[in-house]
Structures are given as C-alpha cells and as structure tokens.
Amino acid sequence: MIPLSVPNLKGNEINYVTNALVAEWVSTGGAYINQFEKDLADYVLTHSAVAVSSGTSGLHLALLEAGVSAHEHVIVPTLTFIAAVNPIKYVNAHPIFMDCDDSLCLDVAKLEKFLKTECDFINNQLIFRETSRPITAIIAVHIFGNLVDMLSLMTLARKFNLQVIEDSTEALGSYMLIDGAKKFAGTFGDFGVFSFNGNKIITTGGGGMVLAKDKEKLSHIKYLSTQAKDDELNYIHNEIGYNYRMTNVQAAIGVAQLEQIEKFVEIKKNNYHLYKQLLATLDEVTLLDFREDIRPNYWFYSLAFQERIDVARIITALNSQGIGSRPVWGLIHEQKPYKNDYSFEIEKAYKYVSSIVNIPCSSNLTDKEIRYVVSVIKEILFNETNGQRIKRLNN
C-alpha cells in the first residue's frame, strides 16, 4: 500500500517524547509547549504563537477574538474541508459561501464583485442586503499548500472593515516574497491558524497553533484556551473558557517535526516535479500548478482530469491497486447543515470537485513509488478509454 499522506517521524520525536514522559509533564503544561510555540513563531517570522488542541479549536478562538457575534455573517469558501466552516456555527453566525479560482483557493475577484453588488457599506459596517445582517469576517483557506491572493484580499478587507482569519492548516511553510522578505501563510491576516493532524506537512498527531497580529488578542486567546483562569489557585474564572490547550507530549513531537520542515518541503517539491515530468505525456490529466508568485509547501498533489473521465472510477481503481487516493471535499454549501445558507455564483468549484483526484504525497514517498503510481494511472486511463489513447502514452 502506498498511502495518500502519512507522517515522517525519523527525527528527534522519540527522544523528545521520552524526555516529556521521564519529566512526567504529559498534559497541558510543560516546557515543550512553550518551545514549540516559540519555534513556530520564529519560523514564520512573527512575535508569538499559541498552541491549541486542533486547527478547528484555533479557528473557533480566532472567531471569538475577532468579535464575530451571533447572527452575523462570515465569508468562507465552499471548496474546503468542513472544519473551516463549522466554527462559524459554534459562534451562532452564518456563512456566506464563495467560489474558488484556479488555485482552488477563494476567488478574490468574485468576492469583490459580491461586496460591491450585494452589500452596502454603512457607518463603517458591511451589510448583506438580502438578510440585513452585518458581515464581519472572512476565513481565507489556503488549499493544499497554495495561497489565497492575500494582498488583494487584505486590501478589500481593510476597505470594508472585515477581520481576516487565515486558515493555514494546509499551508505551513508556504510564503510569498514581498520586497525580498518572506511573508508566510498565517501572517497576512488578523489571525492565522495551523493544524498538525497526521496528514499535514508536520504533525503532532493532532493539535494546532494560532497567530494574531495583536499581541493582546493572542494573549486573550491563550487565556480562553486554558479555561479562562483568572486565579489558578482559587479557581476564579471571569469568562467562559475552553479546554483547547495542546499537550506537552504532542508539543514534543511538534518540536522535532519543525526541525525538519524545510527538508520535508524540499522532498515534496522534488516529488511534485517528478510527478509532473512523468505525467507530461498524458492529455487526459494535468497535475495542478501552484501559484507562480509563492514558495508553496507542496503539501498535496492534485490531478485534474478531463470532463469525460469518471474520477470516482479512477479513485476506485487506484485504491484497488494499493495506491491511496481521494477526491476533494464535497462542496460545503451543498452539505445538509448548510443548505439554507447563502452562496454566491459558485461555478469553478463544481468543475474542480468533479475532476480532481489527490494522489500520494508523503515526504516518505520514493522515486520508485512515484513511478509505480504514474504507471498505474496510465494503465487505468488506457482501460477507461478502451485503448483509444494518445500515441505518446508509452513514450
């Protein structure tokens, strides 16, 4: 079996976890949590970070700190994992779903059209005409290591007084050069959130991290994540808090993983280009590009098939040959909990949800395995098209 995306645990993970166990600091306190927060903040060139139990909990806390209130609207893409959207409902707000562009990320040009044609900006507040409710925030999801057009998005957000929460759960390590300086995913907006699930570029088994431009807001997020303790000795709590803190054992794994992230990115970059080279002879499928103006982390590899190809059959055939593969997510505005929420001119998302197959992309992946994956894809396509293949198939 060649899995889709699994962790690469060949660094100091065992040593650091053993240290945490020997010290008997295994829960939501301990030196590795502080170190992981500092190391990640240093890596993405920001002032500080807060380690939390998941990317989802990080988004929830970011929405709370952004001041999103019940019955307000939050703009979010429909082409994303549902965990990017559910926290909107946690705060009793309502999503407005946007289309994707060819990077699979939120279409900022279409968002601008929506803001100008469907909304009114009154007394420094954006009002959605159809519901008369305010729109207060945008969750910008960086898909598969690509980046949303953050420069354009931030211009719009400032113009219309919107808070920007970057869902960078798939984009740790992706950055853009601005005047020669690195600007990392998660540091453009008012808040940034990362995830360290087992399939991410680095993992803690679970867990996440939150960034914020405003140090005081980030400090308050940390306070909320630890049950809002105002007096730990006497158990005084002046706000509703949450059990959202990362454990020391998880953080120990994270410290070891972060030490290797640039090596992981380089491996994934090389593997991506090998796939691209080997697939270049096929007309029926394209390996999607990353944006040219960024250094992506190359987290996931997406094959886009022609319309006449049934991607469900491709996925079934790949999995039957021991090759882990999956489609993109079902569009969120079509999911049962969100069918009554507003969506704006969804077009490209339908195209991509019916044409994309994700293929193995782990940093453990070998050249031999990549060549096998491509050979199976060629064989499947030959069978799917009844042998009517392009002449270059076996070149």
Side-chain angles (χ1 to χ4, degrees):
M1 181 67 186
I2 303 175
L4 180 66
S5 182
V6 293
N8 188 333
L9 301 168
K10 299 180 179 67
N12 287 312
E13 291 85 1
I14 292 176
N15 292 335
Y16 295 166
V17 168
T18 300
N19 291 341
L21 295 176
V22 169
E24 298 182 340
W25 284 94
V26 298
S27 192
T28 55
Y32 279 114
I33 300 173
N34 298 330
Q35 183 178 343
F36 189 31
E37 289 173 332
K38 182 182 184 304
D39 290 352
L40 189 133
D42 289 346
Y43 175 70
V44 299
L45 306 176
T46 192
H47 53 80
S48 48
V50 171
V52 291
S53 57
S54 67
T56 306
S57 64
L59 289 170
H60 183 199
L61 292 171
L63 285 165
L64 290 171
E65 199 60 35
V68 177
S69 301
H71 308 303
E72 294 179 347
H73 286 297
V74 177
I75 291 167
V76 71
T78 186
L79 183 65
T80 185
F81 182 44
I82 200 166
V85 183
N86 285 340
I88 298 171
K89 296 289 190 180
Y90 299 170
V91 298
N92 294 312
H94 302 274
I96 294 175
F97 292 102
M98 289 290 142
D99 202 9
C100 69
D101 61 18
D102 290 321
S103 73
L104 304 184
C105 297
L106 186 147
D107 187 331
V108 179
K110 191 170 283 187
L111 170 62
E112 182 174 16
K113 178 183 176 182
F114 167 78
L115 297 178
K116 290 180 176 179
T117 62
E118 307 299 322
C119 304
D120 296 310
F121 194 55
I122 304 169
N123 296 326
N124 207 34
Q125 189 173 55
L126 188 69
I127 305 296
F128 180 36
R129 239 179 259 130
E130 182 164 309
T131 63
S132 299
R133 291 171 175 163
I135 303 172
T136 50
I138 301 170
I139 297 179
V141 187
H142 303 307
I143 302 293
F144 297 156
N146 245 321
L147 293 188
V148 177
D149 179 2
M150 289 305 298
L151 298 183
S152 299
L153 181 65
M154 292 308 298
T155 298
L156 276 179
R158 295 301 171 247
K159 180 178 179 180
F160 292 102
N161 193 28
L162 299 171
Q163 294 278 291
V164 175
I165 300 167
E166 287 180 77
D167 182 333
S168 305
T169 53
E170 301 174 1
L172 178 63
S174 298
Y175 63 78
M176 176 184 289
L177 289 176
I178 300 177
D179 297 327
K182 295 177 183 177
K183 186 71 172 173
F184 281 87
T187 66
F188 290 85
D190 300 285
F191 303 91
V193 179
F194 298 104
S195 169
F196 308 117
N197 280 341
N199 64 345
K200 297 300 192 291
I201 192 164
I202 70 168
T203 186
T204 60
M209 196 79 75
V210 185
L211 313 178
K213 272 191 166 39
D214 187 317
K215 288 184 179 181
E216 290 186 8
K217 289 184 177 180
L218 188 61
S219 178
H220 191 246
I221 282 174
K222 183 175 181 178
Y223 164 80
L224 291 178
S225 75
T226 54
Q227 295 289 18
K229 297 174 185 175
D230 288 272
D231 184 331
E232 294 189 28
L233 177 63
N234 295 301
Y235 298 97
I236 304 301
H237 308 266
N238 292 325
E239 293 187 52
I240 300 297
Y242 304 88
N243 183 21
Y244 278 174
R245 193 74 167 139
M246 179 182 284
T247 70
N248 199 48
V249 172
Q250 289 176 305
I253 299 171
V255 170
Q257 286 275 286
L258 194 57
E259 291 173 348
Q260 306 168 81
I261 187 169
E262 284 301 314
K263 180 180 76 173
F264 294 163
V265 172
E266 187 64 21
I267 292 169
K268 291 170 88 70
K269 174 185 175 182
N270 292 338
N271 287 345
Y272 170 82
H273 286 293
L274 179 56
Y275 267 128
K276 202 163 185 67
Q277 173 192 333
L278 296 173
L279 291 163
T281 59
L282 300 179
D283 286 342
E284 296 94 337
V285 62
T286 302
L287 184 62
L288 288 188
D289 293 321
F290 292 91
R291 286 176 47 147
E292 293 182 357
D293 59 346
I294 69 168
R295 196 294 296 267
N297 69 358
Y298 297 93
W299 178 56
F300 247 40
Y301 308 146
S302 299
L303 298 180
F305 286 85
Q306 290 181 350
E307 287 184 15
R308 63 193 179 92
I309 304 295
D310 184 345
V311 296
R313 289 169 62 89
I314 296 289
I315 291 167
T316 298
L318 284 170
N319 289 334
S320 72
Q321 294 285 338
I323 296 170
S325 62
R326 51 159 261 196
V328 291
W329 316 275
L331 300 181
I332 309 302
H333 78 282
E334 295 185 326
Q335 306 288 335
K336 186 175 180 180
Y338 295 101
K339 283 188 174 180
N340 293 326
D341 289 295
Y342 185 85
S343 58
F344 181 71
E345 295 186 3
I346 308 299
E347 296 166 324
K348 281 190 176 179
Y350 287 117
K351 167 191 169 185
Y352 284 116
V353 81
S354 64
S355 66
I356 284 180
V357 175
N358 293 119
I359 54 175
C361 60
S362 305
S363 53
N364 298 307
L365 202 59
T366 66
D367 283 11
K368 181 179 179 181
E369 288 171 328
I370 291 170
R371 293 178 188 279
Y372 173 69
V373 171
V374 173
S375 70
V376 172
I377 290 170
K378 289 182 176 182
E379 179 184 353
I380 292 169
L381 284 173
F382 186 84
N383 293 334
E384 285 290 310
T385 54
N386 298 316
Q388 301 302 310
R389 296 283 292 105
I390 53 176
K391 294 180 181 179
R392 294 178 293 157
L393 172 64
N394 295 314
N395 290 354

